[in-house]
């Protein structure tokens, strides 16, 4: 396959911003380029939104919300339109998955999972549009007291590069189901599927201004969206450092805020676990999407009595992982998203070696071009090591051990993060006890990285606040107004 045919995926969306139902250039004329991480080839150049473009997008969203048909539409009609959008995404899933691979470097098989989950999210939230009930309240006196669930207004959605379309769906689907208008800023590295989403939304008849897409940089377009007085809510997914800055900017304003941030999840294997199944789950938990996953199971806690056998099984399994061309359907681990991310991973891995942990990497052949990193396993890791504390956001697993359930809990909770955790044991009562004591928003047992739009997802501690998915994810986009 030649370089040009490889990156040539037909695109519906022009290389422009989508504002008020029109495809427009950035006022400044600025453009940003996106590259395929597996080769470094240019995929596309798109208009780069700056503050004045964000102003225009917020104005369009304001007009759509304050005076347009969308929030006033019958809920059943909003539901129908969201369902049509889901159908349009499903019909176009192969093309969109390929585009996602070109922008992110993730394996095509995993991009196809993203597409299925994206369609699921739109269908699930389409169903909620007609089920946003308020309550009647038995107050004293001859009064009718009731609550209404009303949309918050204009939502500024800011998303990362690891699951571009899925993270857009997790915000756009519930926001639109409730009747909000959205300004979506995709990550600078991965703007393409957000633009495609806008093109499909326009095709199925979403009114102008209800969904606006403004690719751009965080420091300019993202910050302008966060500061904008015309925005009623910020929904952010990204790093804890940026989330903290956004929290400070929003504090003291009347904006609503949800933050989905980083993680340093522990997967805990007890000696009675089904070890082969556990090892499979651990591998999926850390090497899925090259480990560029907020809930990646990046710390493995193994009960001491089985640590040798677990490490042996892990090494055997690692040796079978196919690292390489993300467009190849047999690839398990694709390319790291960017040179900057690769360098961050390399630096943290070097710190692990320097601090005395023992490194294992299978002897697989890496492609000559592109940003690739071998699946990596560290043993002899101490809790004080940087690789046991910091989010690496790469295919790197740190193995620690424990003797008792109390020690497992103590170590698992010994992190500033609290997004997710995993437990592997055949003992039901242990699962329930551990799930209660782990300070994590999501706890999986005998499975990992399992997502469903019906179930809330989100963090404790420095992993953020608010939930996406399920009813909780829906209620993040309404105000409860008493009348
Ligand atoms: P990031 O640098 O925080 O970026 C996330 C988004 O915020 C991008 O669109 C970014 O724009 C934008 N941004 C950057 N600075 C900003 C600012 N000052 N004001 C407003 N927006 C700003 O994170 P990332 O490196 O793209 O993504 C990796 C992180 O996301 C990891 O820490 C991961 O754990 C977290 N994550 C969390 C979840 C979750 O659900 N909890 C899911 C996925 C990822 P640019 O593209 O220009 O940087
Ligand atoms: Mg960034």
């Amino acid at each position: 396959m030649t370089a040009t045919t490889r990156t040539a995926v037909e695109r519906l969306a022009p290389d422009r911003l989508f504002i008020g139902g029109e495809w427009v250039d950035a006022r400044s004329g600025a453009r940003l380029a996106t590259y395929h991480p597996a080769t470094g080839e240019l995929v596309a150049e798109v208009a780069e939104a700056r503050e004045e473009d964000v102003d225009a997008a917020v104005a369009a969203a304001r007009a759509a919300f304050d005076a347009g048909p969308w929030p006033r539409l019958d809920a059943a009609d909003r539901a129908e339109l969201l369902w049509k959008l889901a159908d349009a995404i499903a019909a176009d899933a192969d093309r969109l998955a390929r585009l996602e691979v070109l922008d992110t470097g993730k394996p095509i098989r995993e991009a196809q999972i993203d597409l299925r989950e994206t369609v699921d999210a739109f269908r699930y939230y389409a169903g909620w549009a007609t089920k946003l009930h308020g309550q009647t309240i038995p107050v004293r006196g001859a009064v009718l007291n009731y609550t209404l669930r009303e949309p918050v207004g204009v939502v500024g959605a800011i998303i990362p590069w690891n699951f571009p379309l899925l993270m857009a769906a997790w915000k756009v689907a519930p926001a639109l189901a409730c009747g909000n208008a959205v300004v979506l800023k995709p990550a600078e590295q991965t703007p393409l599927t957000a633009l495609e989403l806008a093109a499909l939304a326009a095709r199925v008849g979403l009114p102008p201004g209800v969904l606006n897409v403004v690719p751009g940089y965080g420091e300019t377009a993202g910050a302008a969206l966060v500061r904008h007085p015309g925005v009623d809510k910020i929904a952010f997914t990204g790093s804890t450092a940026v989330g903290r800055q956004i929290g400070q900017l929003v504090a003291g304003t009347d904006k609503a805020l949800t933050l989905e941030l980083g993680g340093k999840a522990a997967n805990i294997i007890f000696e009675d676990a089904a070890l082969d199944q556990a090892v499979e789950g651990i591998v999926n938990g850390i090497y899925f999407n090259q480990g560029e996953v907020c809930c990646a199971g990046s710390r493995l806690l193994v009960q001491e009595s089985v640590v040798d056998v677990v490490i042996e099984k892990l090494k055997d399994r690692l040796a079978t992982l196919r690292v390489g061309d993300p467009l190849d359907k047999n690839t398990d681990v694709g390319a790291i998203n960017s040179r900057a991310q690769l360098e961050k991973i390399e630096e943290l891995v070097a710190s692990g070696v320097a601090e005395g942990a023992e490194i294992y990497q299978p002897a697989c052949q890496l492609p000559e071009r592109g940003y690739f990193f071998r699946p990596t396993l560290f043993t002899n890791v101490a809790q004080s090591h940087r690789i046991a504390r910091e989010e690496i956001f790469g295919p790197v697993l740190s193995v620690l051990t424990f003797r008792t359930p109390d020690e497992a809990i103590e170590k698992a909770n010994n992190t500033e993060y609290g997004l997710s955790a995993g437990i592997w044991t055949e003992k039901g009562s242990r699962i329930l006890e551990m799930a209660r004591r782990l300070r994590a928003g999501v706890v999986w047992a005998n499975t990992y990285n399992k997502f469903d739009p019906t179930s809330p997802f989100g963090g404790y501690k420095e992993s953020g606040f608010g939930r996406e998915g399920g009813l909780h994810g829906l209620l993040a986009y309404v105000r409860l107004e008493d009348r």
Side-chain angles (χ1 to χ4, degrees):
M1 198 180 274
T2 68
T4 42
T5 56
R6 212 191 133 80
T7 52
V9 175
E10 190 199 337
R11 282 181 291 133
L12 288 181
D15 295 328
R16 294 167 136 189
L17 315 176
F18 189 67
I19 297 179
E22 310 274 344
W23 295 99
V24 297
D25 284 318
R27 306 269 156 119
S28 67
R31 320 262 299 159
L32 65 80
T34 94
Y35 301 93
H36 182 34
T39 60
E41 288 161 65
L42 181 76
V43 180
E45 266 190 16
V46 302
E48 179 214 318
R50 296 194 180 158
E51 186 166 357
E52 59 274 22
D53 307 299
V54 170
D55 284 348
V58 173
R62 256 311 11 127
F65 184 76
D66 294 335
W70 186 248
R72 288 151 204 93
L73 211 59
D74 290 346
D77 293 334
R78 279 205 309 275
E80 192 180 329
L81 203 132
L82 286 178
W83 194 275
K84 278 188 189 155
L85 179 52
D87 286 347
I89 297 167
D92 222 358
D94 288 344
R95 187 181 67 84
L96 292 168
R98 232 180 118 77
L99 207 50
E100 198 77 316
V101 171
L102 292 180
D103 247 5
T104 59
K106 69 173 67 200
I108 185 79
R109 256 190 304 120
E110 296 182 357
Q112 285 159 350
I113 298 174
D114 291 4
L115 260 296
R116 271 203 303 282
E117 291 181 356
T118 297
V119 171
D120 270 2
F122 275 101
R123 290 197 175 134
Y124 172 73
Y125 281 113
W128 268 119
T130 50
K131 295 158 196 80
L132 266 177
H133 299 263
Q135 293 176 317
T136 55
I137 300 172
V139 296
R140 283 189 193 277
V143 244
L144 173 64
N145 182 240
Y146 64 97
T147 60
L148 287 179
R149 305 279 198 196
E150 301 191 315
V152 287
V154 171
V155 174
I158 301 177
I159 56 173
W161 45 259
N162 55 349
F163 296 92
L165 186 59
L166 186 59
M167 290 301 104
W170 281 13
K171 292 175 170 49
V172 171
L176 296 191
C178 300
N180 296 284
V182 177
V183 177
L184 170 65
K185 193 210 83 70
E188 71 198 49
Q189 299 89 344
T190 55
L192 298 181
T193 49
L195 293 169
E196 294 298 312
L197 181 65
L200 291 175
R203 183 191 268 182
V204 299
L206 191 72
V210 175
L211 174 62
N212 307 275
V213 180
V214 286
Y217 294 100
E219 296 72 17
T220 50
L225 195 53
V226 172
R227 282 196 309 264
H228 204 295
V231 172
D232 299 299
K233 177 195 164 94
I234 293 292
F236 173 82
T237 298
S239 61
T240 293
V242 173
R244 209 177 277 145
Q245 282 175 32
I246 290 177
Q248 281 163 2
L249 279 175
V250 165
T253 72
D254 61 356
K255 284 191 185 71
L257 177 66
T258 43
L259 297 174
E260 300 282 351
L261 309 176
K264 190 73 192 175
N267 242 321
I268 307 168
I269 302 187
F270 286 92
E271 60 191 3
D272 69 292
L275 292 184
D276 288 329
Q277 184 197 338
V279 164
E280 210 40 50
I282 301 309
V283 166
N284 165 57
I286 183 62
Y287 303 112
F288 177 72
N289 210 57
Q290 299 75 241
E292 297 163 324
V293 183
C294 49
C295 53
S298 54
R299 290 183 299 151
L300 174 59
L301 303 181
V302 190
Q303 199 153 20
E304 236 171 50
S305 49
V306 290
V307 69
D308 292 340
V309 48
V310 166
I311 288 173
E312 195 154 316
K313 283 176 188 288
L314 272 171
K315 286 181 176 172
D316 287 349
R317 183 65 178 90
L318 247 65
T320 68
L321 288 178
R322 286 158 300 198
V323 185
D325 181 2
L327 285 168
D328 181 338
K329 67 178 184 355
N330 293 316
T331 291
D332 297 308
V333 180
I336 302 302
N337 180 254
S338 64
R339 180 181 300 282
Q341 186 59 28
L342 180 62
E343 286 169 359
K344 186 184 149 196
I345 296 167
E346 287 169 345
E347 194 268 323
L348 272 157
V349 165
S351 84
V353 174
E355 288 187 302
E358 202 171 298
I359 189 170
Y360 170 80
Q361 293 175 317
C364 56
Q365 188 73 32
L366 295 187
E368 276 166 27
R369 293 192 298 170
Y371 313 131
F372 288 92
F373 197 81
R374 285 194 172 78
T376 300
L377 177 71
F378 274 110
T379 52
N380 288 332
V381 180
Q383 289 193 84
S384 59
H385 290 167
R386 285 180 63 203
I387 53 169
R389 294 197 328 266
E390 296 180 29
E391 184 180 50
I392 300 175
F393 228 57
V396 182
L397 179 64
S398 298
V399 183
L400 298 100
T401 60
F402 67 91
R403 292 204 184 103
T404 62
D406 283 349
E407 193 185 346
I409 289 285
E410 190 274 311
K411 286 189 170 166
N413 286 341
N414 184 14
T415 165
E416 67 200 40
Y417 295 111
L419 188 53
S420 59
I423 311 162
W424 301 83
T425 173
E426 294 293 282
K427 226 172 145 179
S429 58
R430 175 163 289 159
I431 292 174
L432 298 179
E433 189 208 340
M434 298 292 289
R436 187 174 48 77
R437 295 173 67 192
L438 285 164
R439 302 291 300 153
V442 179
V443 179
W444 283 291
N446 297 329
T447 185
Y448 205 83
N449 272 344
K450 215 167 178 55
F451 296 100
D452 196 288
T454 64
S455 183
F457 179 84
Y460 286 6
K461 302 198 283 188
E462 301 269 311
S463 292
F465 57 83
R467 293 292 178 267
E468 293 193 308
L471 175 59
H472 297 83
L474 184 81
L475 296 181
Y477 292 94
V478 293
R479 292 185 201 283
L480 176 70
E481 296 282 355
D482 281 330
R483 291 287 153 90

